[in-house]
Amino acid sequence: MPLSRLLLPFLLLISTVGTRAGVVQGRVTDAQSQPLSFANVAARGTDRSAAANEQGRYQLRLPAGRYTLAFQYVGYAARLEAVRVPAGDSVLALDVALTAENYRLGEVVVRAPGRDPAYELMEQAIAWRRYHQREVAAYQARAYLKTVVGLTEMPSSLLGAKLPPPPPGLDPRVLRLEETVSELRFRQPGPAQERVISTRVSGRSQEFGSGGVAAVQMDLYQNLQRASFAPRGIVSPLADGALLHYRYELVGSSTEAGRLIHKIRVAPRHPQDPAYSGFIYLVDGSWHLHSVALSLDRSVLKDLESLHVEQQFMPAPGAPEVWVRQSQKLTFGLSVFGFKVQGTFHGVYLSYRDVVPAFPRAQPAPVAAASGAVTAETPAQFAAAPRRAALRRLTRQAARPAASDADALRPGEVRRVETGANERSAAYWDELRPVPLTADEQRHHRSQDSLEQRRQLPAYQDSLDRVFNRFRPLTAAGGGYRYRRTRRQHDFATLPLDQLLQYNTVEGVVLHASGTYQQRYAGGRRLMLTPTLRYGAAARLLSPRLAGQYLWQPQRLRTLHFAAGRSILDFNDRTQLTPAYNTYYTLWRNENYAKLYQQDAVAAGLSGELARGLTLRADLSYADRQPLRNHTDRLMLDVPGRRFTPNEPVSVELNLAPITRSQALLAEATLNWQPGQRYLTLPDRKVVFGSRYPTLQLHARQALPVLGADVRYLLAEAGLRHTQRLGLLGQSTLTATAGGFVWASRLQFMDYRHFAGNRLLLTSVFAQFQLLDYYRFSTRQRFVEAHWQHGFQGFLLNKAPLLRQLKLQEMLTLHYLHTPALGQYAEVGAGLQRDFLLLHARADVVTTLRTTQPRETGLRVRLWRDL
């Protein structure tokens, strides 16, 4: 480890101690002495800034000297206060009351009679949106984020049972408290790279927090803001087509620091529009956003009841011709079973440096809106090809990490949490924190840290384990049983009870006992062992097996896989036919869809990352495979005219040739490449975010004629996967694969290329065939397979007032398959999906398209929950 990394905590502590010359603190309120939560406080001419907490209290550390402090809050007149910070440790008290800004009409000349002047102002801002989105080529900054989640209301009872009071030491108003300090580095086209140098989760010293500052930016200069709580996205009031979705009203104008600021009310034009309500404040002439206060309600949100966004912007230090974000606050509300949850994400950008304007000469001269067209350079001129080339050249040079910059993030690394970031002391946070903690938050820190110390005691951990390890039949039936030993860092989990017993015509009643043992080691390394003991009563067939994997390089996702023993497998290795579905249809519908065989095998393999976005998995296995026959015909309901079929798959390419016992030595390799991959680096692991480019895959399986193996073939295939967001039209997902057998001198049916068909009402996945037979069209030749799915995410049904309340999502699917024996085969489906908090439901009507066969239509239903 470089010496600089070892000294980093010490150097940071020294730097903060060096700024203890003085503290300016006090309270920011309105004219009625009500606190202005999260008001901004900045020392002009410096990079020092802070923010008030929920109670309006602030503290700003400054070296000795004279300063002008600027106090700002959205919708209030900024106030300047001259202060003198004496040398040595000192505390200067300064309470400030801000007055609501007097926004007056009459500053803007109305050009179109009957049309609100806000539209002319917004047309100017929309025309310059793309310019402002690109006006900063690069910057670096330090940012602070505080996350607070708590309960604002609790029911007295739940499902008829009276709820006990909160345990001692637990304040429901603050259930989770996180703090993060990050170094941000940005250059066009982004996103910002974030290096987390300090993070703290109250009472969870081993955690690294759930998010960072760069990840929660709501950029209103983008046409559409996308987030998990709004699947369709939210149209910005500055979007190119915003006039189709918004109504605007000029509330008034006011002057601040020589700039004319317009306050404009925005509201959705139609109830179904995914748009904000609230206010935006525009700087006249330059058309920058000065600040925003916008809200969303449950009509456009998923799971949440409300979301409020507040942002404040300022001229960049050292480059006042461009504006940067000064602070951001997101507040959400959620109600679950009578529990009302409120959360706040408050980000403060403490110091900007190395701000590089992309177009230093293109800034339009300040002109009154009444004067008409913007002077200087037009939006079309700045987007010209020579200027785009200059922008690319400038951004390549800007913020380029030096060769000696050990802290620079790697390409694609969106966020990195430094080792030791969660080990800072309370004194360190007291020195660094720019937003004072409230009294409730201080109590939460003390109580949770005290509880964590208690949780670290061996006796306490053992007592918790004893409670956790109690066997609860209802829990085990639905989710399995889990046994843990916290001090030894291991646990053991079994399958749910509903998967313990199975039934099929080959084995009869099946006892399928399986569990997973997990041992965790330092540095994120992990060993997992999965023993399985399977016994089929009718066949009197015992099948023991042991599989495992060892993650030995978490940062590169490098894993060793191994397995040995006997398995009872489906001939179709891609089938959607789960054991639970097959059990039900066999016992109650007299339909034994699954066709099984026995495999005794030993296998080993390696997987991991070769380079950014490039992963390889290689496996080698030796297997003895033999067919099985039906041993029982017992069932619960005998359907007249329906009989069990033999345990022999029927395939158009099998030509009625019997499936015989065979030995196979198989070498497989799968190469995946995801260009432009973005990821998060934690001290003990790597988390992949994905990419805007398709993921490409190459796969090969070679049967080697050695060690007595009697199977010889080579299967090669290539494919891609891609998800494309289409703005308000929803999201499309495409999977396509093509390949075939280069040669196939000898192979058995389990070696064929199979396809994920489905013949049941209930389906396990919609991104596969829904009416295709499980085995009939498996091939030993070439094939082309494609699956496309598009979710409109309410784009169509939101137009109907009654249907809009149901929050249904329209789904469209298309599946295609071609083999020499099958010819052209396609399925088209349309359906509806409803997402609840953790549960999802979907139903589709699917029909086949074949030129030589009659059309088949079926209904498919799926229920699933988030893991």
Side-chain angles (χ1 to χ4, degrees):
M1 178 181 294
L3 182 61
S4 61
R5 293 290 183 87
L6 295 173
L7 295 178
L8 178 61
F10 178 74
L11 294 176
L12 287 172
L13 182 59
I14 292 297
S15 65
T16 56
V17 171
T19 63
R20 293 187 60 187
V23 177
V24 182
Q25 66 180 27
R27 196 162 178 257
V28 184
T29 64
D30 61 12
Q32 287 74 40
S33 299
Q34 295 300 312
L36 296 179
S37 303
F38 307 109
N40 290 303
V41 185
R44 291 205 164 179
T46 74
D47 60 0
R48 304 298 179 92
S49 61
N53 62 18
E54 290 87 336
Q55 299 168 346
R57 300 194 177 277
Y58 74 94
Q59 62 182 27
L60 180 60
R61 299 182 181 275
L62 295 168
R66 295 182 180 275
Y67 300 92
T68 299
L69 302 186
F71 296 83
Q72 293 177 291
Y73 191 76
V74 177
Y76 284 74
R79 179 169 172 177
L80 302 180
E81 291 286 344
V83 298
R84 178 182 177 276
V85 179
D89 289 340
S90 61
V91 176
L92 178 63
L94 179 62
D95 293 338
V96 174
L98 302 184
T99 58
E101 186 64 271
N102 183 18
Y103 289 92
R104 302 179 303 276
L105 291 171
E107 301 285 351
V108 178
V109 176
V110 180
R111 291 182 172 272
R115 189 184 190 214
D116 195 288
Y119 286 89
E120 185 174 348
L121 300 175
M122 290 305 303
E123 286 169 355
Q124 294 278 22
I126 292 170
W128 282 96
R129 176 196 66 81
R130 190 167 176 81
Y131 172 87
H132 293 317
Q133 187 180 12
R134 294 186 174 187
E135 68 177 352
V136 178
Y139 69 78
Q140 295 187 58
R142 175 170 287 196
Y144 169 83
L145 174 70
K146 183 172 73 171
T147 302
V148 183
V149 179
L151 293 177
T152 59
E153 188 175 324
M154 294 177 58
S156 58
S157 60
L158 181 64
L159 300 178
K162 186 176 181 180
L163 292 176
L170 178 62
D171 185 355
R173 292 173 296 184
V174 182
L175 296 179
R176 186 173 181 87
L177 174 60
E178 297 183 15
E179 297 179 274
T180 301
V181 175
S182 303
E183 291 287 344
L184 301 182
R185 188 190 299 251
F186 171 83
R187 61 175 177 172
Q188 291 284 0
Q193 292 184 302
E194 178 183 10
R195 188 171 65 89
V196 178
I197 59 176
S198 308
T199 181
R200 181 183 187 186
V201 181
S202 186
R204 304 287 177 181
S205 61
Q206 300 303 310
E207 295 186 15
F208 299 103
S210 58
V213 177
V216 297
Q217 290 185 0
M218 301 287 285
D219 188 358
L220 295 177
Y221 287 124
Q222 292 184 349
N223 281 324
L224 203 66
Q225 286 82 60
R226 296 185 176 94
S228 59
F229 51 75
R232 293 181 60 199
I234 308 299
V235 178
S236 170
L238 304 178
D240 293 338
L243 272 66
L244 299 175
H245 300 276
Y246 282 96
R247 297 183 186 276
Y248 303 104
E249 177 190 352
L250 178 61
V251 177
S253 304
S254 180
T255 302
E256 177 186 290
R259 303 183 185 93
L260 187 62
I261 310 298
H262 303 295
K263 181 179 181 180
I264 299 175
R265 178 181 287 110
V266 301
R269 183 171 289 274
H270 306 102
Q272 70 272 14
D273 285 334
Y276 297 98
S277 299
F279 300 93
I280 63 174
Y281 300 79
L282 285 179
V283 181
D284 188 89
S286 69
W287 312 112
H288 285 104
L289 282 174
H290 173 275
S291 53
V292 302
L294 301 171
S295 298
L296 297 169
D297 59 28
R298 62 189 310 167
S299 64
V300 297
L301 295 172
K302 174 186 175 183
D303 301 332
L304 300 181
E305 288 190 344
S306 63
L307 179 71
H308 186 69
V309 181
E310 291 185 16
Q311 294 179 341
Q312 192 132 1
F313 302 85
M314 66 178 182
E321 68 270 27
V322 300
W323 285 54
V324 292
R325 183 178 284 104
Q326 184 178 15
S327 65
Q328 174 176 264
K329 183 178 73 170
L330 304 180
T331 304
F332 71 87
L334 171 66
S335 179
V336 182
F337 299 120
F339 293 89
K340 293 188 179 297
V341 182
Q342 178 174 299
T344 301
F345 302 88
H346 184 207
V348 182
Y349 296 79
L350 305 177
S351 59
Y352 283 90
R353 58 191 183 277
D354 301 330
V355 179
V356 180
F359 313 105
R361 298 179 182 177
Q363 182 67 16
V367 293
S371 66
V374 175
T375 60
E377 184 171 324
T378 67
Q381 288 173 323
F382 105 86
R387 188 167 295 282
R388 290 202 305 270
L391 175 61
R392 288 193 296 268
R393 186 164 55 252
L394 184 62
T395 55
R396 282 196 297 267
Q397 298 171 358
R400 178 178 293 172
S404 59
D405 190 356
D407 295 328
L409 274 64
R410 293 179 287 271
E413 191 176 18
V414 177
R415 194 183 316 152
R416 178 198 300 167
V417 179
E418 296 288 357
T419 301
N422 58 348
E423 299 174 2
R424 312 299 187 196
S425 66
Y428 168 90
W429 283 101
D430 291 339
E431 291 287 340
L432 187 66
R433 182 183 294 115
V435 181
L437 297 178
T438 65
D440 290 339
E441 293 165 355
Q442 293 176 9
R443 284 193 296 270
H444 181 76
H445 264 318
R446 289 193 297 267
S447 64
Q448 292 303 308
D449 291 347
S450 176
L451 286 174
E452 183 179 25
Q453 292 179 1
R454 182 183 175 189
R455 287 195 297 264
Q456 300 303 319
L457 297 175
Y460 185 84
Q461 292 180 348
D462 292 343
S463 65
L464 284 182
D465 286 346
R466 284 193 293 270
V467 175
F468 180 86
N469 294 336
R470 291 175 183 169
F471 181 78
R472 299 172 178 84
L474 293 179
T475 302
Y481 172 70
R482 183 180 174 190
Y483 177 89
R484 74 180 186 192
R485 294 294 299 273
T486 303
R487 285 196 291 148
R488 297 185 180 180
Q489 291 294 295
H490 67 232
D491 58 68
F492 182 79
T494 69
L495 292 175
L497 292 181
D498 60 353
Q499 299 183 33
L500 180 63
L501 290 177
Q502 304 173 12
Y503 184 82
N504 60 69
T505 56
V506 174
E507 302 168 280
V509 177
V510 176
L511 175 66
H512 185 89
S514 181
T516 298
Y517 168 84
Q518 180 175 232
Q519 176 68 61
R520 295 174 294 278
Y521 303 98
R525 294 176 297 117
R526 183 173 68 247
L527 172 67
M528 298 178 65
L529 298 174
T530 304
T532 301
L533 185 63
R534 180 185 180 107
Y535 180 72
R540 298 182 180 180
L541 183 60
L542 182 65
S543 304
R545 185 175 183 268
L546 176 65
Q549 62 181 37
Y550 177 57
L551 178 64
W552 52 284
Q553 281 191 0
Q555 297 290 6
R556 302 299 295 272
L557 305 176
R558 291 180 175 171
T559 306
L560 168 67
H561 312 266
F562 52 91
R566 175 174 295 171
S567 303
I568 306 300
L569 303 176
D570 198 302
F571 279 98
N572 185 345
D573 58 355
R574 300 171 183 267
T575 184
Q576 297 185 55
L577 185 62
T578 66
Y581 289 169
N582 186 68
T583 296
Y584 168 77
Y585 274 83
T586 301
L587 289 174
W588 296 96
R589 299 291 300 274
N590 202 358
E591 295 174 312
N592 59 326
Y593 286 109
K595 308 304 175 187
L596 309 174
Y597 72 97
Q598 174 185 318
Q599 174 175 283
D600 298 321
V602 58
L606 289 171
S607 64
E609 184 182 62
L610 304 179
R612 173 193 168 197
L614 185 65
T615 60
L616 173 68
R617 171 159 182 163
D619 294 277
L620 183 66
S621 63
Y622 184 85
D624 178 30
R625 298 99 53 95
Q626 56 180 308
L628 299 172
R629 62 179 179 83
N630 289 337
H631 287 85
T632 182
D633 58 0
R634 294 180 179 273
L635 43 73
M636 301 296 295
L637 181 64
D638 190 2
V639 179
R642 189 179 296 170
R643 300 180 57 187
F644 286 139
T645 58
N647 187 48
E648 296 174 359
V650 176
S651 171
V652 296
E653 294 189 29
L654 195 55
N655 297 325
L656 302 180
I659 302 174
T660 61
R661 184 172 183 174
S662 63
Q663 289 75 41
L665 178 63
L666 302 177
E668 289 191 74
T670 302
L671 186 68
N672 285 282
W673 181 38
Q674 189 178 56
Q677 183 188 88
R678 296 173 180 175
Y679 61 94
L680 156 69
T681 302
L682 295 171
D684 59 349
R685 64 188 183 278
K686 175 180 178 179
V687 180
V688 175
F689 290 147
S691 170
R692 60 192 180 100
Y693 299 106
T695 299
L696 307 178
Q697 183 180 89
L698 296 176
H699 174 76
R701 185 170 71 215
Q702 171 77 69
L704 304 172
V706 294
L707 299 179
D710 52 11
V711 175
R712 298 174 180 83
Y713 67 87
L714 172 60
L715 171 65
E717 55 188 81
L720 65 84
R721 301 188 306 273
H722 185 54
T723 297
Q724 181 66 49
R725 290 178 173 176
L726 301 176
L728 297 181
L729 292 178
Q731 178 174 287
S732 285
T733 301
L734 172 66
T735 304
T737 310
F741 288 83
V742 179
W743 70 80
S745 59
R746 183 177 179 185
L747 72 168
Q748 293 291 334
F749 187 70
M750 63 279 290
D751 300 308
Y752 282 36
R753 179 53 162 84
H754 303 282
F755 307 100
N758 182 42
R759 303 298 299 169
L760 311 180
L761 171 66
L762 297 175
T763 181
S764 56
V765 59
F766 272 104
Q768 292 290 351
F769 299 103
Q770 297 303 315
L771 300 174
L772 188 71
D773 188 86
Y774 299 111
Y775 312 100
R776 185 175 299 275
F777 301 109
S778 298
T779 185
R780 57 183 293 166
Q781 302 181 68
R782 63 187 181 276
F783 69 92
V784 176
E785 177 184 9
H787 304 275
W788 175 77
Q789 176 175 269
H790 182 79
F792 288 92
Q793 298 175 336
F795 177 78
L796 301 175
L797 295 181
N798 277 345
K799 304 295 189 294
L802 295 179
L803 294 177
R804 183 170 62 247
Q805 303 301 320
L806 299 177
K807 292 189 175 183
L808 298 174
Q809 301 179 37
E810 316 89 333
M811 309 299 296
L812 185 65
T813 57
L814 176 62
H815 310 286
Y816 173 81
L817 178 63
H818 175 269
T819 70
L822 174 62
Q824 309 286 345
Y825 174 85
E827 295 177 0
V828 178
L832 296 174
Q833 180 172 316
R834 177 66 163 89
D835 296 329
F836 301 94
L837 188 60
L838 297 176
L839 185 67
H840 310 271
R842 178 172 167 182
D844 279 43
V845 175
V846 187
T847 186
T848 61
L849 298 176
R850 293 185 65 188
T851 57
T852 60
Q853 298 291 333
R855 179 175 300 178
E856 180 183 358
T857 301
L859 174 67
R860 296 294 181 260
V861 178
R862 184 188 179 202
L863 295 172
W864 74 101
R865 61 185 177 91
D866 293 331
L867 299 177

